Amino acid sequence: MNEPPADPPVGVPADSDAAGDDDVAIRVARSGGIAGMTRRWSVQPSGSESEHWMLLVERCPWDQKPPAGTGADRFVWRIEVRIRRERHEQVIPEEHLQGPWRALVDAVREADAGATGA
């Protein structure tokens, strides 16, 4: 499987004193396809927005390894999350990006597009 390249860790480093109780950072990367390009989206909500994002993250089965992807030139998603001092990371082939994973990815993409005006 052609995984998206790892970026530096999401958001504030876990050992930083700046990591507050509602500190959330989410990054999504999609790589692969015929061109093999990587696209990235991210969100760092604050205040009352954080609770909504934490619920989306908590619904994802972080401890379950998704099945391997099939076929060439397929998209692969890397999802990285930091909530407070806890980090999660998962790599999911496009054909297995469903349920809570799809909801999280779609929400990040929509929020990032709204923030950048794209």
Side-chain angles (χ1 to χ4, degrees):
M1 169 170 34
N2 185 20
E3 294 182 9
D7 290 328
V10 149
V12 180
D15 59 352
S16 170
D17 290 335
D21 285 345
D22 62 350
D23 202 31
V24 177
I26 304 169
R27 183 170 44 213
V28 170
R30 183 191 73 195
S31 69
I34 294 173
M37 296 179 63
T38 300
R39 298 221 25 221
R40 292 177 175 83
W41 300 267
S42 63
V43 64
Q44 285 191 275
S46 59
S48 62
E49 293 180 344
S50 295
E51 187 174 330
H52 164 74
W53 291 96
M54 286 189 270
L55 289 172
L56 284 172
V57 169
E58 289 169 2
R59 291 180 182 139
C60 294
W62 295 99
D63 295 331
Q64 294 178 11
K65 183 172 171 67
T70 58
D73 299 328
R74 302 290 175 121
F75 288 122
V76 177
W77 295 85
R78 176 181 299 275
I79 304 165
E80 299 172 289
V81 174
R82 190 211 12 87
I83 297 178
R84 300 176 188 98
R85 297 176 186 269
E86 186 176 331
R87 294 181 188 276
H88 299 285
E89 183 176 334
Q90 188 67 269
V91 176
I92 304 171
E94 173 76 25
E95 64 261 34
H96 301 295
L97 188 74
Q98 47 193 281
W101 293 116
R102 173 58 74 181
L104 179 60
V105 165
D106 288 350
V108 172
R109 291 176 67 189
E110 184 177 321
D112 192 303
T116 61

